[in-house]
Amino acid sequence: MAYTVPKLDDYSPAALDRAIADLRSALEHEVAAVKSDADHEALRIRWRARTNGILTQINDLWLKAAPKEAKRDVGQRVNELKTWVEEKVESAKPGTASASVADKLDITLPGIRRPLGAEHPVVKTTNEIIGIFAKMGYSVETGPEIETDYYNFESMNFPPNHPARDTQDTIFIAGQESKPQRDRLLLRTHTSPVQTRAMEKHRPPIRVVAPGKVHRSDTPDASHSPIFHQVEGLAVDNNITFSDLKGTLDHAMKELFGSDVKTRFFPSFFPFTEPSADVQVTCFKCGGKGCRLCKMSGWIELLGSGMVDPKVLAFHKDNGYDPEKVSGFAFGMGVERIAMLKYGIDDIQLFFHGDVRFLEQFA
Ligand SMILES: [Zn+2]
């Protein structure tokens, strides 16, 4: 039913409000139905024509017919209503809204530049290391940064009060004294506890790398940071020997630093490996001749490694890690140290300052 202007016999404010609301909703509906210029012209004539348009009818039927005492109020309302109707009818013209946006749009303004993000050098180096081992069949394991004493130390063959614990500069969580020592919480000092978690989860054979953040109570300087990253590796199977360890790490270092580098293994000590070895690579800056980077030695020490200590395997004897039947090797490397050598960065703090001028060099 098309809207027609009613005659009013009640000029109370409430009745006027009702009549105006009806008219407004009628126009809203008609505006919504306008699809073409012809529709719009019909709408314009129906509402705004001088002869018998709806606005003219309102003037005649509402304002002129109003009793003297209501004229002032009705006049004010009709004026407001007229302005609203005129604007409403005008803006109903198809294309009006988009045309006005186009008028305001300055297509000569420069666009909004959205800088591309890039991997942080520590993340980039971590992923590179993982990628090298993934190609050799290693999968990725992770573990929590807040660990228990058991995972971080005991299961890695650091018995309570063992002096090797002192080398780890551990940050302990406060208020743990009431718990047995093996349950006390600390911030993990190395990614080695992930070895324990992996051996609890999977039966041998196993080949995993464990990347992650570790914590030591070190004072920050150019080569120390209380937070840094490691990638741990573990391989356990039948008949794994030290030759497998040497071959695997020699290949990994060549992948990481180029096929020219040579590796050598020096006796070392870690509680969780026996025998243990430090791995050195020929200096990739001077090629072994001697320079400042390698302190004139021609060699750079890069990671720790060794055959998994039978005592570490024995913690998981029930899950297939019988030291009489299986053997394995483990290794660990500092991600920041490798990134610093690879990219010639001389201050470890640069990794943690979040300075875009430093970071964008790796984009
Ligand atoms: Zn050198």
Side-chain angles (χ1 to χ4, degrees):
M1 274 281 283
Y3 175 78
T4 51
V5 181
K7 278 185 182 160
L8 296 181
D9 38 28
D10 181 356
Y11 281 88
S12 69
L16 288 169
D17 282 344
R18 270 197 305 279
I20 290 167
D22 285 349
L23 181 141
R24 281 174 176 257
S25 96
L27 180 53
E28 298 275 16
H29 278 98
E30 292 189 30
V31 164
V34 170
K35 297 279 179 284
S36 63
D37 286 344
D39 290 348
H40 182 251
E41 184 58 14
L43 180 82
R44 200 187 61 76
I45 290 168
R46 175 166 150 75
W47 286 81
R48 296 191 59 192
R50 278 184 202 284
T51 317
N52 220 23
I54 288 175
L55 286 184
T56 307
Q57 290 180 44
I58 288 169
N59 217 43
D60 295 339
L61 294 176
W62 293 4
L63 184 58
K64 283 185 185 164
K68 202 177 175 189
E69 63 278 12
K71 271 229 159 67
R72 192 184 156 86
D73 181 32
V74 176
Q76 206 173 348
R77 287 168 185 265
V78 165
N79 274 337
E80 278 170 19
L81 192 58
K82 273 183 177 170
T83 311
W84 183 81
V85 167
E86 281 163 6
E87 279 171 10
K88 199 80 195 163
V89 168
E90 234 17 75
S91 67
K93 193 172 169 64
T96 309
S98 55
S100 66
V101 170
D103 288 344
K104 288 173 196 158
L105 184 70
D106 181 355
I107 58 166
T108 65
L109 283 173
I112 298 163
R113 199 179 280 270
R114 298 191 192 283
L116 282 181
E119 279 178 325
H120 189 282
V122 169
V123 174
K124 193 172 168 167
T125 306
T126 303
N127 287 339
E128 239 175 276
I129 297 166
I130 291 171
I132 290 166
F133 286 96
K135 277 193 234 161
M136 290 191 272
Y138 285 69
S139 53
V140 174
E141 283 287 326
T142 54
E145 283 173 45
I146 300 174
E147 271 293 10
T148 61
D149 186 283
Y150 170 75
Y151 282 102
N152 196 75
F153 288 128
E154 191 182 334
S155 70
M156 285 287 108
N157 196 31
F158 291 78
N161 305 317
H162 191 283
R165 289 185 173 220
D166 297 342
T167 64
Q168 298 263 325
D169 299 314
T170 312
I171 299 171
F172 294 95
I173 308 280
Q176 303 282 305
E177 292 77 9
S178 61
K179 294 181 181 171
Q181 181 163 12
R182 53 161 37 197
D183 295 336
R184 292 180 196 169
L185 298 174
L186 47 83
L187 298 185
R188 69 178 178 190
T189 56
H190 47 184
T191 41
S192 305
V194 184
Q195 289 189 30
T196 300
R197 294 186 173 275
M199 285 190 279
E200 285 176 350
K201 234 160 71 182
H202 312 288
R203 295 178 65 84
I206 188 175
R207 276 191 211 83
V208 294
V209 280
K213 199 182 285 169
V214 302
H215 306 257
R216 305 267 176 111
S217 80
D218 269 333
T219 311
D221 64 25
S223 51
H224 294 87
S225 166
I227 297 172
F228 58 100
H229 298 77
Q230 288 184 336
V231 177
E232 186 89 5
L234 173 71
V236 181
D237 202 344
N238 297 317
N239 301 319
I240 298 259
T241 68
F242 202 88
S243 301
D244 298 311
L245 164 63
K246 285 183 79 173
T248 302
L249 293 181
D250 185 71
H251 172 76
M253 292 305 110
K254 285 180 162 66
E255 286 280 296
L256 205 50
F257 294 109
S259 55
D260 293 343
V261 303
K262 293 187 181 71
T263 51
R264 66 177 184 180
F265 292 73
F266 265 60
S268 182
F269 172 77
F270 303 105
F272 38 97
T273 47
E274 181 59 39
S276 305
D278 282 330
V279 184
Q280 302 182 347
V281 300
T282 43
C283 178
F284 30 83
K285 196 170 178 193
C286 65
K289 289 189 200 77
C291 69
R292 266 181 58 203
L293 183 66
C294 58
K295 299 190 183 90
M296 303 313 288
S297 71
W299 294 89
I300 290 173
E301 194 178 311
L302 267 190
L303 64 159
S305 67
M307 300 306 290
V308 181
D309 194 302
K311 286 182 197 148
V312 171
L313 293 174
F315 276 98
H316 310 284
K317 198 170 174 176
D318 292 345
N319 201 26
Y321 293 88
D322 183 344
E324 301 292 323
K325 293 176 182 152
V326 294
S327 55
F329 63 77
F331 54 88
M333 54 193 109
V335 177
E336 282 82 358
R337 177 161 167 74
I338 289 177
M340 286 168 83
L341 291 165
K342 217 171 144 69
Y343 298 114
I345 298 161
D346 57 8
D347 186 348
I348 195 172
Q349 300 302 323
L350 290 167
F351 290 123
F352 305 111
H353 287 167
D355 187 334
V356 175
R357 291 167 303 179
F358 169 72
L359 296 172
E360 69 188 1
Q361 297 173 61
F362 304 91

